[in-house]
Amino acid sequence: MSYQKSSFRHPRLPVNDLGLTQQAYEGPLSTLCAGCGHDSIGAAIIQACHELSLPPHRIAKLSGIGCSSKAPTYFLNKAHGFNSVHGRMPSIVTGANMANKELTYIGMSGDGDTAAIGMGQFAHVVRRRLNMLYLVANNGVYGLTKGQTSATADRGSKSKKGEDNLLEGIDLATMAIQLGATFVARSFSGDKNELVPLLKAALSHRGFAFIDIISPCVTFNNHPGSTKSYDYVRDHIETASVSDFVPVKEEITSACPVGVTCRDICLHDGSIIRLQQTGDDYDPQNRAEAISAVEHHKAKGEILTGLLYVDPFAEDLHEVLETSDTPLNQLNEQALCPGNDVLQVINDSFR
Ligand SMILES: Cc1ncc(C[n+]2csc(CCOP(=O)(O)OP(=O)(O)O)c2C)c(N)n1
Ligand code: SF4
Ligand SMILES: [Mg+2]
């Protein structure tokens, strides 16, 4: 169900390179609970896609089942959309991406959708390095089905009724790094300043980009004792590196602040991720270091956010499989059925 949203916007709203205001990237009014982190993620996606000047109709948003998977309804109204079965978004996005490599693919999932029923699918889409942005809106509960503890809930955190979670939580970010993701970050729905540049960098990355976004559920998991509440996350965040994203068209004008070390990582299209190193000299291009840094901070009760790992020049699945440059729906009959002579050559090659 969706309600009417006023279409009035200030006439002097800024436009992007396509001449579009942010309104062209919005969706209908959200029916999620007021204050749900998932809507803040939606707002960050709208801002990131607008600032990158992505044509909205060249984006495909896909999801599974859950409040998080319902959230794409409320952004990118003009994009292609597919709300799939619980935990099955990776299969659908793989099929769509293999058939048409020209769209920008955004998969939105939840911690239940990915870390439980969809875990097998998640592992393989990461391993295949599909060229997409995979987001998990991680609230530590099954929000849609009224707040059962999920597989990402931290050991020792308490449910709303006060029960201890006795089991170890799954860390999807370290898992994604281990499984071969080539861009991995963690962020917080309540920190747009960090999230928007990460989304822009992830959308510009060629290969499998994963962002684990802690996204509090205000209805079932925002109490004292929860480690996915707004208060807890704000008090325990440690940033690996503050990142800024400079698209290929723009000149880098911002100088590094005095006393801060900056590291620029150039992506395949020439755009740049600028990292301001904080206390530790964190190297996001070192897989082993990334995993141990996440574990090290977790052991101290901290949540490490920011860009955790990136391999800017990795191959994506299309390159590995040497797929057709032309989307399948644009191949003509001659290309699809080249005739008996070509068939004969192929058959001979197997003899
Ligand atoms: C095959 C199947 N099993 C179970 C369900 C019930 N179900 C719906 S959403 C959901 C969990 C959603 O949790 P999460 O992905 O974390 O999303 P959230 O609502 O927390 O954003 C479950 C178990 C279902 N819809 N389909
Ligand atoms: S139940 Fe939780 S996750 Fe679902 S919309 Fe409400 S606050 Fe968000
Ligand atoms: Mg959840």
Side-chain angles (χ1 to χ4, degrees), residues 36 38 65-70 85-88 109-115 117 136-146 148 150 152 215 217:
C36 175
H38 304 350
I65 297 289
C67 300
S68 34
S69 295
K70 191 181 166 196
V85 187
H86 200 17
R88 297 322 191 239
S109 179
D111 43 319
D113 196 62
T114 290
I117 194 167
V136 167
N138 187 352
N139 53 18
V141 287
Y142 296 176
L144 190 75
T145 52
K146 308 266 178 274
Q148 299 86 351
S150 87
T152 65
S215 176
C217 169

Side-chain angles (χ1 to χ4, degrees), residues 4-281:
Q4 284 295 320
K5 193 176 190 175
S6 161
S7 59
F8 175 79
R9 294 290 182 283
H10 195 281
R12 285 201 294 274
L13 278 182
V15 293
N16 63 14
D17 290 349
L18 302 175
L20 299 172
T21 65
Q22 200 161 285
Q23 191 179 9
Y25 295 80
E26 292 175 357
L29 209 60
S30 173
T31 60
L32 301 181
C33 307
C36 175
H38 304 350
D39 275 334
S40 308
I41 297 174
I45 292 171
I46 290 169
Q47 186 180 332
C49 291
H50 177 246
E51 288 177 5
L52 284 178
S53 298
L54 297 178
H57 67 287
R58 303 297 290 161
I59 301 172
K61 46 175 187 170
L62 300 99
S63 58
I65 297 289
C67 300
S68 34
S69 295
K70 191 181 166 196
T73 311
Y74 310 118
F75 57 79
L76 296 173
N77 216 7
K78 297 184 172 62
H80 303 272
F82 200 112
N83 196 194
S84 77
V85 187
H86 200 17
R88 297 322 191 239
M89 175 268 283
S91 298
I92 309 292
V93 70
T94 302
N97 192 312
M98 286 293 98
N100 189 349
K101 61 162 84 168
E102 290 184 349
L103 301 182
T104 299
Y105 290 92
I106 302 176
M108 181 139 177
S109 179
D111 43 319
D113 196 62
T114 290
I117 194 167
M119 183 56 106
Q121 297 240 330
F122 173 67
H124 290 282
V125 77
V126 181
R127 174 183 153 257
R128 289 179 180 141
R129 295 184 172 170
L130 196 74
N131 187 13
M132 70 172 296
L133 167 58
Y134 192 120
L135 303 171
V136 167
N138 187 352
N139 53 18
V141 287
Y142 296 176
L144 190 75
T145 52
K146 308 266 178 274
Q148 299 86 351
T149 300
S150 87
T152 65
D154 296 304
R155 187 173 183 184
S157 63
K158 286 189 191 305
S159 73
K160 200 172 174 182
K161 287 184 186 157
E163 292 150 351
D164 281 328
N165 175 30
L166 305 174
L167 303 177
E168 208 57 59
I170 292 174
D171 189 314
L172 290 169
T174 49
M175 238 186 124
I177 298 172
Q178 279 163 340
L179 287 165
T182 49
F183 180 112
V184 178
R186 179 152 25 230
S187 195
F188 173 40
S189 63
D191 186 354
K192 227 176 168 189
N193 288 340
E194 180 187 64
L195 183 54
V196 172
L198 283 174
L199 286 167
K200 284 160 65 175
L203 283 162
S204 306
H205 174 74
R206 182 187 53 196
F208 189 84
F210 176 73
I211 312 184
D212 179 40
I213 308 169
I214 301 172
S215 176
C217 169
V218 287
T219 303
F220 297 111
N221 204 14
N222 198 34
H223 46 269
S226 160
T227 55
K228 299 273 193 285
S229 65
Y230 280 108
D231 286 349
Y232 186 93
V233 178
R234 271 198 204 101
D235 289 348
H236 293 82
I237 267 188
E238 273 295 311
T239 307
S241 44
V242 181
S243 48
D244 196 4
F245 180 74
V246 188
V248 66
K249 304 175 289 288
E250 278 176 30
E251 197 189 334
I252 302 180
T253 48
S254 59
C256 224
V258 181
V260 176
T261 321
C262 280
R263 180 195 291 259
D264 288 344
I265 300 176
C266 188
L267 297 186
H268 75 285
D269 63 356
S271 50
I272 285 177
I273 304 173
R274 167 158 284 188
L275 305 172
Q276 287 177 18
Q277 307 287 129
T278 48
D280 316 329
D281 188 16

Side-chain angles (χ1 to χ4, degrees), residues 277-329:
Q277 307 287 129
T278 48
D280 316 329
D281 188 16
Y282 187 83
D283 177 8
Q285 289 179 266
N286 182 330
R287 280 174 87 176
E289 198 182 303
I291 294 170
S292 83
V294 172
E295 293 296 332
H296 171 73
H297 284 276
K298 197 171 155 192
K300 291 197 288 178
E302 294 165 353
I303 305 160
L304 191 64
T305 63
L307 178 63
L308 302 175
Y309 175 69
V310 66
D311 176 355
F313 297 108
E315 285 181 315
D316 85 313
L317 188 57
H318 284 288
E319 288 169 285
V320 174
L321 299 182
E322 296 180 4
T323 56
S324 151
D325 278 338
T326 315
L328 301 191
N329 65 354

